[in-house]
């Protein structure tokens, strides 16, 4: 059985991954973990193959360490919780990393919910909304011209996930579009999100979200 919590991750040098299962697993959970790990291994095989076939210029976007994709996951199956700490693709490869991962998670852990403790990237936020719906927001950390502020509890009433995506889209449209900004930033950089409220436009440094995988 492939176990992605051990040293076998070195089989895929273009993939940086951390996949951890906490707690004591029941026999049924152990079986599901095994099926999940085998599918993730096949996904990493495809990532490695796709990286090998890239043109030199595209490989160069991955930096000196040659990392084409990062996947960091934590599982607590007793709580039905899967934490996505990081998901990023540095090169233009012919498959969709988030949808591939999501399909595998939904096959093996459909009763769980997905938590992103520090969601930063605009593109990942759009993917979550597109394929799962609008998540619940736990807190939002904003940065304005003169101060930073953490919104949680009742203070969250002034922001919304949908509103952040809409304001972010407007921000980039007014500056030549998402593709222009992505080109300016270069590989390996997240596209920031923005919120326009009573304090003016503020950058969303990160937000904590969660959503059921069964949606």
């Amino acid at each position: 059985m492939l176990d992605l919590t051990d040293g076998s991750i070195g089989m895929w040098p273009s993939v940086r991954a951390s996949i951890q299962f906490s707690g004591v697993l029941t026999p049924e959970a152990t079986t599901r973990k095994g099926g999940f790990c085998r599918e993730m291994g096949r996904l990493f095989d495809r990532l490695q193959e796709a990286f090998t076939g890239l043109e030199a210029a595209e490989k160069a976007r991955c930096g000196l360490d040659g990392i084409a994709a990062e996947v960091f996951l934590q599982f607590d199956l007793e709580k039905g919780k899967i934490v996505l700490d990081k998901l990023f693709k540095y090169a233009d490869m012919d498959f969709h990393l988030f949808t591939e991962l999501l399909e595998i998670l939904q096959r093996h852990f459909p009763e769980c919910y997905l938590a992103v403790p520090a969601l930063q990237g605009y593109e990942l936020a759009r993917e979550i909304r597109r394929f799962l719906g609008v998540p619940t927001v736990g807190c939002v950390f904003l940065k304005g011209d003169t101060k930073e502020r953490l919104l949680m509890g009742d203070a969250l009433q002034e922001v919304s996930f949908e509103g952040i995506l809409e304001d972010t889209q407007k921000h980039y449209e007014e500056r030549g579009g998402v593709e222009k900004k992505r080109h300016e930033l270069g590989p390996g950089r997240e596209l920031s999100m923005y919120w326009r409220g009573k304090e003016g436009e503020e950058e969303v440094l990160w937000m904590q979200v969660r959503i059921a995988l069964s949606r």
Side-chain angles (χ1 to χ4, degrees):
M1 179 184 297
L2 176 63
D3 186 350
L4 298 178
T5 62
D6 64 15
S8 62
I9 201 66
M11 296 167 57
W12 308 283
S14 69
V15 181
R16 181 179 289 137
S18 174
I19 299 177
Q20 301 176 350
F21 289 79
S22 63
V24 178
L25 300 181
T26 65
E28 187 267 342
T30 299
T31 299
R32 290 200 290 165
K33 173 189 172 184
F36 167 78
C37 287
R38 284 190 292 272
E39 284 207 60
M40 288 300 292
R42 289 193 288 269
L43 174 60
F44 291 166
D45 285 341
R46 292 171 56 209
L47 277 166
Q48 186 63 45
E49 182 179 358
F51 175 78
T52 303
L54 290 176
E55 299 290 337
E58 194 63 31
K59 284 184 178 180
R61 296 180 61 193
C62 299
L64 295 177
D65 56 359
I67 299 299
E70 292 185 302
V71 182
F72 288 25
L73 290 165
Q74 298 180 51
F75 292 78
D76 188 334
L77 298 183
E78 289 183 344
K79 296 180 179 179
K81 179 180 179 180
I82 300 172
V83 178
L84 177 59
D85 287 316
K86 188 173 182 62
L87 183 72
F88 200 80
K89 187 172 68 172
Y90 294 89
D92 185 13
M93 295 179 285
D94 190 24
F95 60 89
H96 200 293
L97 185 56
F98 180 74
T99 54
E100 295 272 359
L101 174 62
L102 181 60
E103 288 172 0
I104 295 173
L105 290 173
Q106 288 176 323
R107 274 195 292 273
H108 296 281
F109 310 106
E111 78 289 354
C112 292
Y113 69 88
L114 184 69
V116 187
L119 177 59
Q120 297 174 306
Y122 173 48
E123 292 172 300
L124 178 57
R126 287 192 303 177
E127 296 295 273
I128 290 173
R129 180 184 63 178
R130 178 183 177 190
F131 294 104
L132 290 174
V134 179
T136 299
V137 179
C139 58
V140 180
F141 194 38
L142 300 170
K143 179 181 179 181
D145 291 334
T146 60
K147 64 179 181 179
E148 297 177 356
R149 59 194 184 118
L150 177 65
L151 303 184
M152 55 193 308
D154 291 341
L156 283 174
Q157 295 178 10
E158 69 176 89
V159 302
S160 70
F161 187 85
E162 290 278 56
I164 287 172
L165 293 192
E166 290 172 2
D167 287 346
T168 302
Q169 181 179 350
K170 293 174 185 175
H171 174 92
Y172 289 119
E173 286 176 349
E174 293 167 359
R175 292 161 176 79
V178 168
E179 289 301 325
K180 178 182 177 183
K181 185 61 177 180
R182 186 185 293 114
H183 179 74
E184 291 173 355
L185 289 175
R189 297 288 300 278
E190 303 273 9
L191 288 173
S192 295
M193 291 181 281
Y194 294 88
W195 168 254
R196 294 176 178 179
K198 61 184 180 181
E199 302 285 338
E201 182 174 83
E202 298 171 277
E203 182 180 0
V204 178
L205 295 181
W206 54 264
M207 58 180 163
Q208 182 186 93
V209 304
R210 58 177 285 174
I211 192 166
L213 285 173
S214 59
R215 294 190 182 185

